[in-house]
Amino acid sequence: MGQKLIIIVATTILLFTGLLLGYVLSQLVLGFLGLNLLTFLGTFSLILIFGTLYYVLFWELRRQSNRTKASNSQPATQPLTEPVAHSPTEPTLRPSTPRGADNRLKNKLISMVAGDTAAAERLVEQAKQDYPGMPESWYWERAIADLERDRR
């Protein structure tokens, strides 16, 4: 709901600002409005507002479409697992809840590396090289378990 509200508000302000900017520029071109410091600053501020809102609106739309693509590209039949600590060195895996589990694992690993997503991705890539052929969520669990083991 928050993203839709941002899009609706930004679109409304963008349309209003565009209309106002078009009117001011047309009045300047037609000569009905004299060019002075006030009209220059007003027109410049309208251009800045228009450009900023245009950027925010399309940045939000692109971000929303990337989320949709990411959630659609993930197979629904992929087996998800979560570690159960039976031994201090290797986690035993058991089925977990579908969906949200991958995001939970990713968020947990990213928070463990103080928000450094590049470092989290490197840890997962290393796990993929060490243990090829496993499900994607397993690699995130493996990286979390390795990081927890290394911190002990």
mmCIF file of all heavy atoms in Angstrom, residues 115-141:
data_model
loop_
_atom_site.group_PDB
_atom_site.id
_atom_site.type_symbol
_atom_site.label_atom_id
_atom_site.label_comp_id
_atom_site.label_asym_id
_atom_site.label_seq_id
_atom_site.Cartn_x
_atom_site.Cartn_y
_atom_site.Cartn_z
ATOM 1 N N GLY A 115 24.816 -5.253 6.961
ATOM 2 C CA GLY A 115 24.165 -4.606 5.825
ATOM 3 C C GLY A 115 24.966 -4.627 4.540
ATOM 4 O O GLY A 115 24.540 -4.033 3.550
ATOM 5 N N ASP A 116 26.085 -5.291 4.509
ATOM 6 C CA ASP A 116 26.929 -5.349 3.312
ATOM 7 C C ASP A 116 26.407 -6.453 2.392
ATOM 8 O O ASP A 116 26.785 -7.617 2.511
ATOM 9 C CB ASP A 116 28.386 -5.604 3.719
ATOM 10 C CG ASP A 116 29.349 -5.469 2.554
ATOM 11 O OD1 ASP A 116 28.882 -5.272 1.418
ATOM 12 O OD2 ASP A 116 30.564 -5.571 2.794
ATOM 13 N N THR A 117 25.545 -6.075 1.451
ATOM 14 C CA THR A 117 24.943 -7.078 0.566
ATOM 15 C C THR A 117 25.972 -7.729 -0.345
ATOM 16 O O THR A 117 25.851 -8.907 -0.666
ATOM 17 C CB THR A 117 23.824 -6.447 -0.289
ATOM 18 O OG1 THR A 117 24.342 -5.335 -0.995
ATOM 19 C CG2 THR A 117 22.657 -6.022 0.572
ATOM 20 N N ALA A 118 26.987 -6.979 -0.734
ATOM 21 C CA ALA A 118 28.025 -7.554 -1.588
ATOM 22 C C ALA A 118 28.765 -8.667 -0.848
ATOM 23 O O ALA A 118 29.061 -9.725 -1.428
ATOM 24 C CB ALA A 118 28.995 -6.474 -2.050
ATOM 25 N N ALA A 119 29.065 -8.450 0.434
ATOM 26 C CA ALA A 119 29.745 -9.477 1.223
ATOM 27 C C ALA A 119 28.853 -10.703 1.376
ATOM 28 O O ALA A 119 29.336 -11.840 1.281
ATOM 29 C CB ALA A 119 30.132 -8.924 2.589
ATOM 30 N N ALA A 120 27.556 -10.484 1.607
ATOM 31 C CA ALA A 120 26.628 -11.607 1.739
ATOM 32 C C ALA A 120 26.576 -12.407 0.444
ATOM 33 O O ALA A 120 26.609 -13.656 0.473
ATOM 34 C CB ALA A 120 25.233 -11.098 2.110
ATOM 35 N N GLU A 121 26.525 -11.721 -0.690
ATOM 36 C CA GLU A 121 26.492 -12.417 -1.982
ATOM 37 C C GLU A 121 27.789 -13.189 -2.219
ATOM 38 O O GLU A 121 27.779 -14.279 -2.768
ATOM 39 C CB GLU A 121 26.260 -11.408 -3.108
ATOM 40 C CG GLU A 121 24.999 -10.612 -2.953
ATOM 41 C CD GLU A 121 23.890 -11.077 -3.854
ATOM 42 O OE1 GLU A 121 24.187 -11.784 -4.819
ATOM 43 O OE2 GLU A 121 22.738 -10.736 -3.568
ATOM 44 N N ARG A 122 28.919 -12.623 -1.785
ATOM 45 C CA ARG A 122 30.199 -13.327 -1.938
ATOM 46 C C ARG A 122 30.218 -14.605 -1.113
ATOM 47 O O ARG A 122 30.711 -15.639 -1.566
ATOM 48 C CB ARG A 122 31.363 -12.426 -1.542
ATOM 49 C CG ARG A 122 31.711 -11.377 -2.578
ATOM 50 C CD ARG A 122 33.043 -10.715 -2.298
ATOM 51 N NE ARG A 122 33.120 -10.088 -0.986
ATOM 52 C CZ ARG A 122 32.783 -8.829 -0.726
ATOM 53 N NH1 ARG A 122 32.337 -8.051 -1.701
ATOM 54 N NH2 ARG A 122 32.895 -8.332 0.491
ATOM 55 N N LEU A 123 29.676 -14.548 0.100
ATOM 56 C CA LEU A 123 29.615 -15.746 0.934
ATOM 57 C C LEU A 123 28.758 -16.827 0.286
ATOM 58 O O LEU A 123 29.103 -18.012 0.305
ATOM 59 C CB LEU A 123 29.068 -15.400 2.318
ATOM 60 C CG LEU A 123 29.986 -14.571 3.219
ATOM 61 C CD1 LEU A 123 29.227 -14.096 4.446
ATOM 62 C CD2 LEU A 123 31.200 -15.388 3.625
ATOM 63 N N VAL A 124 27.636 -16.411 -0.295
ATOM 64 C CA VAL A 124 26.759 -17.372 -0.970
ATOM 65 C C VAL A 124 27.447 -17.944 -2.210
ATOM 66 O O VAL A 124 27.375 -19.148 -2.478
ATOM 67 C CB VAL A 124 25.404 -16.712 -1.323
ATOM 68 C CG1 VAL A 124 24.566 -17.605 -2.204
ATOM 69 C CG2 VAL A 124 24.649 -16.356 -0.055
ATOM 70 N N GLU A 125 28.128 -17.101 -2.962
ATOM 71 C CA GLU A 125 28.848 -17.576 -4.155
ATOM 72 C C GLU A 125 29.943 -18.576 -3.774
ATOM 73 O O GLU A 125 30.159 -19.554 -4.468
ATOM 74 C CB GLU A 125 29.447 -16.400 -4.942
ATOM 75 C CG GLU A 125 28.416 -15.581 -5.681
ATOM 76 C CD GLU A 125 27.586 -16.393 -6.658
ATOM 77 O OE1 GLU A 125 28.161 -17.220 -7.399
ATOM 78 O OE2 GLU A 125 26.362 -16.213 -6.662
ATOM 79 N N GLN A 126 30.609 -18.322 -2.658
ATOM 80 C CA GLN A 126 31.641 -19.251 -2.191
ATOM 81 C C GLN A 126 31.013 -20.595 -1.835
ATOM 82 O O GLN A 126 31.560 -21.656 -2.162
ATOM 83 C CB GLN A 126 32.380 -18.668 -0.985
ATOM 84 C CG GLN A 126 33.503 -19.544 -0.481
ATOM 85 C CD GLN A 126 34.592 -19.743 -1.518
ATOM 86 O OE1 GLN A 126 35.008 -18.789 -2.155
ATOM 87 N NE2 GLN A 126 35.042 -20.962 -1.696
ATOM 88 N N ALA A 127 29.854 -20.554 -1.176
ATOM 89 C CA ALA A 127 29.151 -21.796 -0.836
ATOM 90 C C ALA A 127 28.722 -22.537 -2.099
ATOM 91 O O ALA A 127 28.786 -23.770 -2.157
ATOM 92 C CB ALA A 127 27.937 -21.490 0.045
ATOM 93 N N LYS A 128 28.315 -21.790 -3.141
ATOM 94 C CA LYS A 128 27.924 -22.419 -4.402
ATOM 95 C C LYS A 128 29.109 -23.116 -5.058
ATOM 96 O O LYS A 128 28.956 -24.177 -5.665
ATOM 97 C CB LYS A 128 27.330 -21.383 -5.364
ATOM 98 C CG LYS A 128 25.940 -20.936 -4.976
ATOM 99 C CD LYS A 128 25.401 -19.922 -5.968
ATOM 100 C CE LYS A 128 24.010 -19.470 -5.577
ATOM 101 N NZ LYS A 128 23.455 -18.485 -6.521
ATOM 102 N N GLN A 129 30.288 -22.514 -4.933
ATOM 103 C CA GLN A 129 31.480 -23.143 -5.499
ATOM 104 C C GLN A 129 31.879 -24.375 -4.701
ATOM 105 O O GLN A 129 32.302 -25.378 -5.270
ATOM 106 C CB GLN A 129 32.642 -22.151 -5.532
ATOM 107 C CG GLN A 129 32.462 -21.055 -6.546
ATOM 108 C CD GLN A 129 33.592 -20.038 -6.506
ATOM 109 O OE1 GLN A 129 34.537 -20.170 -5.732
ATOM 110 N NE2 GLN A 129 33.487 -19.018 -7.347
ATOM 111 N N ASP A 130 31.742 -24.303 -3.371
ATOM 112 C CA ASP A 130 32.138 -25.425 -2.519
ATOM 113 C C ASP A 130 31.157 -26.588 -2.580
ATOM 114 O O ASP A 130 31.556 -27.748 -2.453
ATOM 115 C CB ASP A 130 32.283 -24.958 -1.067
ATOM 116 C CG ASP A 130 33.440 -23.994 -0.878
ATOM 117 O OD1 ASP A 130 34.319 -23.922 -1.772
ATOM 118 O OD2 ASP A 130 33.462 -23.301 0.166
ATOM 119 N N TYR A 131 29.872 -26.306 -2.737
ATOM 120 C CA TYR A 131 28.822 -27.329 -2.730
ATOM 121 C C TYR A 131 27.893 -27.140 -3.926
ATOM 122 O O TYR A 131 26.780 -26.638 -3.789
ATOM 123 C CB TYR A 131 27.989 -27.240 -1.441
ATOM 124 C CG TYR A 131 28.806 -27.251 -0.176
ATOM 125 C CD1 TYR A 131 29.122 -26.054 0.475
ATOM 126 C CD2 TYR A 131 29.259 -28.440 0.375
ATOM 127 C CE1 TYR A 131 29.867 -26.049 1.644
ATOM 128 C CE2 TYR A 131 30.003 -28.448 1.545
ATOM 129 C CZ TYR A 131 30.307 -27.250 2.174
ATOM 130 O OH TYR A 131 31.038 -27.249 3.320
ATOM 131 N N PRO A 132 28.302 -27.524 -5.120
ATOM 132 C CA PRO A 132 27.445 -27.315 -6.307
ATOM 133 C C PRO A 132 26.208 -28.222 -6.295
ATOM 134 O O PRO A 132 26.219 -29.294 -5.698
ATOM 135 C CB PRO A 132 28.373 -27.663 -7.472
ATOM 136 C CG PRO A 132 29.423 -28.536 -6.890
ATOM 137 C CD PRO A 132 29.567 -28.153 -5.449
ATOM 138 N N GLY A 133 25.152 -27.740 -6.933
ATOM 139 C CA GLY A 133 23.953 -28.549 -7.146
ATOM 140 C C GLY A 133 22.925 -28.512 -6.039
ATOM 141 O O GLY A 133 21.999 -29.318 -6.044
ATOM 142 N N MET A 134 23.046 -27.612 -5.087
ATOM 143 C CA MET A 134 22.088 -27.537 -3.986
ATOM 144 C C MET A 134 21.055 -26.449 -4.284
ATOM 145 O O MET A 134 21.287 -25.579 -5.111
ATOM 146 C CB MET A 134 22.815 -27.216 -2.672
ATOM 147 C CG MET A 134 23.876 -28.238 -2.290
ATOM 148 S SD MET A 134 23.200 -29.891 -2.077
ATOM 149 C CE MET A 134 22.427 -29.713 -0.498
ATOM 150 N N PRO A 135 19.892 -26.486 -3.592
ATOM 151 C CA PRO A 135 18.890 -25.425 -3.779
ATOM 152 C C PRO A 135 19.419 -24.078 -3.303
ATOM 153 O O PRO A 135 20.293 -24.002 -2.435
ATOM 154 C CB PRO A 135 17.723 -25.864 -2.893
ATOM 155 C CG PRO A 135 17.960 -27.297 -2.591
ATOM 156 C CD PRO A 135 19.425 -27.542 -2.708
ATOM 157 N N GLU A 136 18.883 -23.005 -3.868
ATOM 158 C CA GLU A 136 19.350 -21.646 -3.569
ATOM 159 C C GLU A 136 19.271 -21.326 -2.079
ATOM 160 O O GLU A 136 20.204 -20.760 -1.511
ATOM 161 C CB GLU A 136 18.523 -20.632 -4.367
ATOM 162 C CG GLU A 136 18.930 -19.198 -4.158
ATOM 163 C CD GLU A 136 20.285 -18.844 -4.758
ATOM 164 O OE1 GLU A 136 20.763 -19.555 -5.659
ATOM 165 O OE2 GLU A 136 20.871 -17.855 -4.299
ATOM 166 N N SER A 137 18.184 -21.691 -1.433
ATOM 167 C CA SER A 137 18.046 -21.373 -0.013
ATOM 168 C C SER A 137 19.089 -22.109 0.835
ATOM 169 O O SER A 137 19.527 -21.604 1.867
ATOM 170 C CB SER A 137 16.641 -21.710 0.479
ATOM 171 O OG SER A 137 16.400 -23.088 0.355
ATOM 172 N N TRP A 138 19.512 -23.276 0.369
ATOM 173 C CA TRP A 138 20.525 -24.032 1.103
ATOM 174 C C TRP A 138 21.833 -23.257 1.181
ATOM 175 O O TRP A 138 22.510 -23.261 2.203
ATOM 176 C CB TRP A 138 20.752 -25.386 0.422
ATOM 177 C CG TRP A 138 21.631 -26.300 1.219
ATOM 178 C CD1 TRP A 138 21.240 -27.192 2.162
ATOM 179 C CD2 TRP A 138 23.065 -26.378 1.156
ATOM 180 N NE1 TRP A 138 22.325 -27.836 2.686
ATOM 181 C CE2 TRP A 138 23.480 -27.354 2.086
ATOM 182 C CE3 TRP A 138 24.040 -25.727 0.409
ATOM 183 C CZ2 TRP A 138 24.797 -27.690 2.289
ATOM 184 C CZ3 TRP A 138 25.366 -26.061 0.618
ATOM 185 C CH2 TRP A 138 25.739 -27.031 1.539
ATOM 186 N N TYR A 139 22.170 -22.570 0.081
ATOM 187 C CA TYR A 139 23.406 -21.794 0.061
ATOM 188 C C TYR A 139 23.355 -20.646 1.065
ATOM 189 O O TYR A 139 24.352 -20.338 1.719
ATOM 190 C CB TYR A 139 23.692 -21.262 -1.340
ATOM 191 C CG TYR A 139 24.007 -22.358 -2.332
ATOM 192 C CD1 TYR A 139 23.197 -22.588 -3.425
ATOM 193 C CD2 TYR A 139 25.111 -23.175 -2.159
ATOM 194 C CE1 TYR A 139 23.480 -23.588 -4.329
ATOM 195 C CE2 TYR A 139 25.411 -24.185 -3.053
ATOM 196 C CZ TYR A 139 24.582 -24.383 -4.143
ATOM 197 O OH TYR A 139 24.871 -25.388 -5.019
ATOM 198 N N TRP A 140 22.204 -20.005 1.173
ATOM 199 C CA TRP A 140 22.067 -18.920 2.145
ATOM 200 C C TRP A 140 22.192 -19.466 3.563
ATOM 201 O O TRP A 140 22.834 -18.870 4.420
ATOM 202 C CB TRP A 140 20.749 -18.184 1.939
ATOM 203 C CG TRP A 140 20.767 -17.356 0.698
ATOM 204 C CD1 TRP A 140 20.412 -17.758 -0.558
ATOM 205 C CD2 TRP A 140 21.211 -16.004 0.572
ATOM 206 N NE1 TRP A 140 20.603 -16.725 -1.445
ATOM 207 C CE2 TRP A 140 21.085 -15.640 -0.788
ATOM 208 C CE3 TRP A 140 21.693 -15.061 1.465
ATOM 209 C CZ2 TRP A 140 21.432 -14.373 -1.254
ATOM 210 C CZ3 TRP A 140 22.031 -13.799 1.003
ATOM 211 C CH2 TRP A 140 21.904 -13.468 -0.340
ATOM 212 N N GLU A 141 21.571 -20.638 3.812
ATOM 213 C CA GLU A 141 21.690 -21.275 5.123
ATOM 214 C C GLU A 141 23.131 -21.660 5.408
ATOM 215 O O GLU A 141 23.623 -21.508 6.530
ATOM 216 C CB GLU A 141 20.807 -22.515 5.186
ATOM 217 C CG GLU A 141 19.341 -22.200 5.151
ATOM 218 C CD GLU A 141 18.486 -23.434 4.953
ATOM 219 O OE1 GLU A 141 19.050 -24.544 4.820
ATOM 220 O OE2 GLU A 141 17.266 -23.296 4.927
#
